[in-house]
C-alpha cells in the first residue's frame, strides 16, 4: 500500500538529518513541510514559542497529547533537564511507529515515553502507570474537539497543581472555541494568547497558555 505522509517525512529526516542531532531533525522536518509536503507539525514559528514556554517552566513532569510524527516531542525533549522524561500519547499505531523512529533518530529516546492509546483512556492511568502526582507542563495538539473534555479529565484526576502550565496549539486554526471559552472564563485558570500563524503558512493561528490556579 502507498506510504503515508508521516512515513515520507521519516525518510526525509533519515536522508537530510544528522543522527543524534535534534536541531537537524527539526530543520529536516520543517524543510520537508515547506518544500515537499505540508504536514500538521506545530512548525518553526509556533515551535519557537513552545521552546520559550518550556524553557521558562523547566518542567519535571511533562505530557503531550497527540504525538503525530514526534516533531514537538523532539522540540520539547531536547530542552528538558537531564533525567527528566516526557510522556506523549498517540493512538494511531502507524504515526506512533514513525514518531518512535524520528525521536530515536534525534537521539532522544531515553527522554521520551511514547504510549500508544487514546488520551481519554490513558489520562486516568497516569498516576498508577507512571507514578505521576501532577504535571508541570502539558502540550495539547490532538483532535481539537478533545481539548476541553481532556482538560476537565485532568482536573477530575487531580493531575494539575497550582502553577501547572497547559499550552494548546491551533486555538484559532482549526480552532478550539469551547476550550478557549472555558480557560478564558474559568476563575481557575490564568490564560494568555500567543499570536502566530498556522505552521508553514500565513494563516492566523496561535497558542494559548493557561496556568492552573489551584
Ligand atoms: C481521541 C482524542 N485522543 C487522542 N489520544 C491520542 N492521540 C490522538 C488523540 N486524538 C488525536 N490523536 C493523534 O494526534 C494526531 C492528531 C492531531 C490533530 N491535529 C490537527 O488536526 C491539526 C490540524 C491542522 C490543520 C490546520 C488547517 C488545515 F487546513 C488543516 C489542518 C493544524 C494543526 O496544527 C493540527 O494539530 C494524530 O497523530 C492522531 O492520531
Ligand atoms: Mg497542531
Amino acid at each position: 500500500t502507498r506510504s503515508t505522509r508521516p512515513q515520507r517525512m521519516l525518510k526525509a529526516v533519515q536522508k537530510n538529518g544528522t543522527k543524534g542531532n535534534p536541531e537537524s531533525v527539526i530543520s529536516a522536518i520543517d524543510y520537508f513541510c515547506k518544500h515537499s509536503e505540508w504536514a500538521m507539525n506545530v512548525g518553526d514559528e509556533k515551535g519557537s514559542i513552545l521552546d520559550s514556554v518550556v524553557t521558562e517552566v523547566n518542567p519535571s513532569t511533562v505530557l503531550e497529547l497527540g504525538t503525530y510524527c514526534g516533531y514537538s516531542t523532539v522540540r520539547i525533549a531536547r530542552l528538558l533537564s537531564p533525567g527528566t522524561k516526557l510522556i506523549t500519547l498517540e493512538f494511531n499505531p502507524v504515526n506512533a511507529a514513525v514518531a518512535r523512529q524520528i525521536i530515536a533518530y534525534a537521539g532522544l529516546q531515553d527522554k521520551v515515553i511514547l504510549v500508544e492509546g487514546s488520551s481519554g483512556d490513558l489520562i486516568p492511568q497516569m498516576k498508577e502507570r507512571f507514578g505521576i502526582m501532577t504535571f508541570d507542563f502539558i502540550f495539547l495538539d490532538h483532535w481539537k474537539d478533545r481539548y476541553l473534555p481532556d482538560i476537565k479529565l485532568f482536573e477530575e484526576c487531580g493531575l494539575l497543581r497550582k502553577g501547572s502550565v497547559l499550552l494548546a496549539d491551533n486555538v484559532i486554526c482549526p480552532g478550539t472555541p469551547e476550550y478557549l471559552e472555558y480557560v478564558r472564563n474559568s476563575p481557575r485558570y490564568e490564560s494568555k494568547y500567543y499570536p502566530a500563524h498556522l505552521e508553514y503558512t500565513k494563516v492566523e493561528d496561535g497558542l494559548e497558555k493557561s496556568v492552573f490556579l489551584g
Side-chain angles (χ1 to χ4, degrees), residues 144 148 170-172 174-184:
K144 308 314 161 192
L148 182 57
N170 310 115
V171 296
I172 305 298
T176 62
E178 301 87 1
Y179 174 82
L180 269 191
E181 198 271 335
Y182 181 75
V183 291
R184 290 177 175 176

Side-chain angles (χ1 to χ4, degrees), residues 33-209:
C33 293
K34 288 172 184 172
H35 302 288
S36 300
E37 302 182 58
W38 183 93
M40 61 183 177
N41 314 115
V42 73
D44 47 352
E45 184 190 16
K46 290 186 289 179
S48 296
I49 299 167
L50 170 62
D51 290 356
S52 60
V53 174
V54 171
T55 302
E56 169 204 339
V57 175
N58 187 30
S60 298
T61 51
V62 184
L63 179 68
E64 174 181 60
L65 304 182
T67 317
Y68 187 42
C69 298
Y71 175 88
S72 48
T73 320
V74 167
R75 288 202 79 113
I76 297 166
R78 85 192 204 285
L79 299 174
L80 298 179
S81 307
T84 302
K85 290 195 179 198
L86 84 82
I87 298 171
T88 184
L89 311 182
E90 173 54 57
F91 70 19
N92 179 314
V94 177
N95 293 354
V98 165
R100 288 188 201 285
Q101 292 173 83
I102 286 180
I103 292 158
Y105 196 83
L108 295 168
Q109 64 284 351
D110 295 341
K111 300 182 79 65
V112 175
I113 301 170
L114 196 164
V115 189
E116 282 187 46
S118 171
S119 55
D121 301 332
L122 293 170
I123 288 168
Q125 298 178 11
M126 285 295 125
K127 289 182 186 262
E128 61 187 316
R129 277 181 67 172
F130 303 101
I132 299 283
M133 295 290 284
T134 57
F135 284 108
D136 298 334
F137 180 78
I138 298 170
F139 183 54
L140 298 92
D141 196 18
H142 57 330
W143 291 158
K144 308 314 161 192
D145 62 356
R146 300 292 310 178
Y147 284 24
L148 182 57
D150 284 350
I151 192 171
K152 290 184 172 172
L153 201 49
F154 288 126
E155 293 174 16
E156 286 157 29
C157 298
L159 286 165
L160 304 178
R161 54 135 174 107
K162 188 172 168 43
S164 291
V165 173
L166 295 98
L167 189 65
D169 189 27
N170 310 115
V171 296
I172 305 298
C173 177
T176 62
E178 301 87 1
Y179 174 82
L180 269 191
E181 198 271 335
Y182 181 75
V183 291
R184 290 177 175 176
N185 298 321
S186 166
R188 305 184 75 185
Y189 294 90
E190 181 61 43
S191 258
K192 179 177 185 214
Y193 176 62
Y194 293 79
H197 298 88
L198 176 69
E199 49 267 28
Y200 318 115
T201 77
K202 294 184 168 50
V203 173
E204 186 188 349
D205 189 21
L207 301 169
E208 187 84 359
K209 182 179 102 170

